[in-house]
Amino acid sequence: METLEFNLGRPDRRQPFPSAASLLTRPLVPAGRWPIRPTAQPGLRTPSCGRRIARTGSRMSAGNRSHGSFVLNGFPALDGRRWVLAPPLAVASALALLANALLLYVVVSVQRLRSPMYLLICTLCLVDMLAVAAVVPGALASLLVDGKRVSLAGCLAQMFGTHFLSSAESTLLLAMALDRYAAVCHPLRYGRLVGRRALAALALFTSARSGAVMAALVGLAGSLRFCASDVIRHCYCDHMALVSLACGDTGRSAAAGVAVIACFVGVDIPLILFSYLKILGAAMRTAAPGDERRKAFRTCGTHLTVMTVFYLVGSVTFLSRNLGLAIPTDANSAMGLLYILTPAAANPVIYGAGTAEIRNGFRRLLGLGHAGKAKVSPADAAVRMPRRRNDAAVAPDRR
């Protein structure tokens, strides 16, 4: 901003005072009398009023400015060497996508795998694939290209998609746990409890809960002014990583983040734990001592371990700034990627390779047939248990 300085010296007493008519016709500043001097010239002092005007103008311009694009800068400690993380991330993402696509193809192709449990597994695979596709390409671009910018609209869209899919996965994990609880603990009522209407209600509930909560979260973040830095310390547009760049009051956005964790983690985890404890208790009562009980413990323990990693990493990355946790940027970026890749890589192994019927369906698609009768655990047999008991209860005695 150029500040004008006026030389207000004493007028020459030898010249007569100008008349009113001459004042109207003359220019306001006569040439050579009151020179305009820029402050950039050496030796000149800026009046105090000019300095105050300059400071006020700079504050107004800074307050009205809001960034329209941002730079994704995950793993700043590896500045200049971030590209070394791109190959393992690309390979892990490709393997996760391939495993989920293969499991999805097996469940869709085999006619016997059309029960509600396997339809939930299909939906879970689809959600994992969409989450990887929404996050990994942008993360790879930020690792390979320094200074890669993303617009505010694109950042908000990625934020909504990522959090919407993560919350939908939480709802699906809860639905799968309740489905197993109904199959194992209430087998005679399973056909009435779980059917097409229940699946349609689940889809509507998932879309409504995740869509409404995440739309409010992203709407609050989009209403902020981002006049601090334009560098997001993350590999993708995370909620609090973007909100931390705002220059206004972020109390409502922080409270919305805590409400999201309470809505999903605080509600879903207790119901999932309750379901698995009931399933484990029923398996202990019906399974024979020895290998069957160990297999039941191993199945439930594996499921709960992956769910714990999913919820724990997601909660820490979501609430780290609200709770004042001093987590390094590199560790926070790594946890953000693990939050997306861990379920996508583990779910096909747990629900695909760990289920006897899916393994048999995969062999059938490869033309290998059955390599002998598979030994089915109580957790796997729960899928077929309701149908057999219902048939036994309804079918008449033909002896």
Side-chain angles (χ1 to χ4, degrees), residues 42 59 105 171 191 254 264 296 321 372:
R59 284 197 301 266
Y105 175 73
T171 307
F264 290 94
R321 290 178 174 83

Side-chain angles (χ1 to χ4, degrees), residues 177-324:
L178 294 177
D179 176 83
R180 294 301 85 210
Y181 166 74
V184 174
C185 300
H186 303 281
L188 298 180
R189 300 168 54 193
Y190 180 81
R192 295 192 299 271
L193 294 175
V194 181
R196 293 182 178 179
R197 290 185 179 180
L199 293 178
L202 174 65
L204 182 61
F205 172 75
T206 303
S207 302
R209 185 173 75 152
S210 301
V213 172
M214 297 309 163
L217 186 73
V218 174
L220 288 175
S223 64
L224 299 174
R225 289 185 297 110
F226 304 97
C227 54
S229 174
D230 62 344
V231 179
I232 298 177
R233 300 287 182 175
H234 213 289
C235 290
Y236 58 91
C237 292
D238 183 66
H239 173 254
M240 289 308 301
L242 178 64
V243 171
S244 63
L245 304 180
C247 54
D249 184 16
T250 60
R252 292 192 301 172
S253 293
V258 176
V260 168
I261 295 298
C263 178
F264 290 94
V265 179
V267 174
D268 294 355
I269 282 186
L271 293 176
I272 290 174
L273 289 176
F274 169 80
S275 300
Y276 273 96
L277 288 177
K278 289 292 186 179
I279 292 171
L280 194 58
M284 292 300 101
R285 290 192 301 269
T286 58
D291 294 339
E292 292 296 332
R293 290 190 176 182
R294 283 194 298 268
K295 185 176 292 186
F297 272 111
R298 185 171 62 249
T299 301
C300 295
T302 305
H303 291 190
L304 291 177
T305 300
V306 175
M307 292 181 187
T308 301
V309 172
F310 171 73
Y311 284 109
L312 181 62
V313 173
S315 300
V316 171
T317 55
F318 215 77
L319 296 177
S320 58
R321 290 178 174 83
N322 290 336
L323 299 178

Side-chain angles (χ1 to χ4, degrees), residues 2 7 15 18 64 86 92 111 119 137 200 230 234 299 309 331 363 367 376:
E2 183 177 347
N7 185 10
Q15 295 183 0
N64 293 330
Q111 186 67 27
L119 293 179
D230 62 344
H234 213 289
T299 301
V309 172
R363 295 192 189 101
V376 181

Side-chain angles (χ1 to χ4, degrees), residues 6-360:
F6 301 95
N7 185 10
L8 303 177
R10 295 181 61 187
D12 193 354
R13 297 180 180 271
R14 292 175 297 181
Q15 295 183 0
F17 191 82
S19 63
S22 63
L23 287 177
L24 294 176
T25 57
R26 291 180 183 179
L28 183 62
V29 181
R33 295 293 294 171
W34 294 348
I36 300 175
R37 302 172 183 174
T39 57
Q41 295 181 5
L44 297 179
R45 296 181 58 189
T46 304
S48 59
C49 61
R51 287 195 296 268
R52 287 196 297 269
I53 293 173
R55 287 195 298 266
T56 304
S58 62
R59 284 197 301 266
M60 289 176 63
S61 62
N64 293 330
R65 185 183 67 237
S66 182
H67 298 297
S69 62
F70 301 90
V71 177
L72 296 175
N73 186 20
F75 303 99
L78 299 176
D79 190 18
R81 301 187 304 274
R82 289 197 298 268
W83 61 269
V84 300
L85 299 176
L89 177 61
V91 172
S93 303
L95 292 177
L97 289 174
L98 180 61
N100 283 277
L102 182 60
L103 179 56
L104 187 63
Y105 175 73
V106 170
V107 175
V108 171
S109 301
V110 178
Q111 186 67 27
R112 296 183 61 184
L113 302 178
R114 298 296 175 86
S115 64
M117 177 65 180
Y118 297 115
L119 293 179
L120 291 175
I121 292 177
C122 274
T123 309
L124 187 65
C125 292
L126 184 60
V127 168
D128 288 334
M129 294 172 65
L130 292 176
V132 172
V135 170
V136 173
L140 289 175
S142 67
L143 294 176
L144 294 174
V145 181
D146 291 334
K148 178 71 174 177
R149 302 190 73 89
V150 58
S151 64
L152 177 60
C155 189
L156 294 175
Q158 187 187 46
M159 183 194 305
F160 176 81
T162 303
H163 294 314
F164 176 85
L165 293 171
S166 299
S167 59
E169 179 156 358
S170 175
T171 307
L172 286 173
L173 292 176
L174 173 61
M176 294 171 68
L178 294 177
D179 176 83
R180 294 301 85 210
Y181 166 74
V184 174
C185 300
H186 303 281
L188 298 180
R189 300 168 54 193
Y190 180 81
R192 295 192 299 271
L193 294 175
V194 181
R196 293 182 178 179
R197 290 185 179 180
L199 293 178
L202 174 65
L204 182 61
F205 172 75
T206 303
S207 302
R209 185 173 75 152
S210 301
V213 172
M214 297 309 163
L217 186 73
V218 174
L220 288 175
S223 64
L224 299 174
R225 289 185 297 110
F226 304 97
C227 54
S229 174
D230 62 344
V231 179
I232 298 177
R233 300 287 182 175
H234 213 289
C235 290
Y236 58 91
C237 292
D238 183 66
H239 173 254
M240 289 308 301
L242 178 64
V243 171
S244 63
L245 304 180
C247 54
D249 184 16
T250 60
R252 292 192 301 172
S253 293
V258 176
V260 168
I261 295 298
C263 178
F264 290 94
V265 179
V267 174
D268 294 355
I269 282 186
L271 293 176
I272 290 174
L273 289 176
F274 169 80
S275 300
Y276 273 96
L277 288 177
K278 289 292 186 179
I279 292 171
L280 194 58
M284 292 300 101
R285 290 192 301 269
T286 58
D291 294 339
E292 292 296 332
R293 290 190 176 182
R294 283 194 298 268
K295 185 176 292 186
F297 272 111
R298 185 171 62 249
T299 301
C300 295
T302 305
H303 291 190
L304 291 177
T305 300
V306 175
M307 292 181 187
T308 301
V309 172
F310 171 73
Y311 284 109
L312 181 62
V313 173
S315 300
V316 171
T317 55
F318 215 77
L319 296 177
S320 58
R321 290 178 174 83
N322 290 336
L323 299 178
L325 300 178
I327 300 177
T329 304
D330 296 71
N332 194 25
S333 300
M335 287 192 299
L337 293 177
L338 288 176
Y339 176 63
I340 299 297
L341 290 177
T342 299
N347 288 335
V349 177
I350 294 176
Y351 300 108
T355 306
E357 294 238 353
I358 292 182
R359 290 197 305 267
N360 293 335

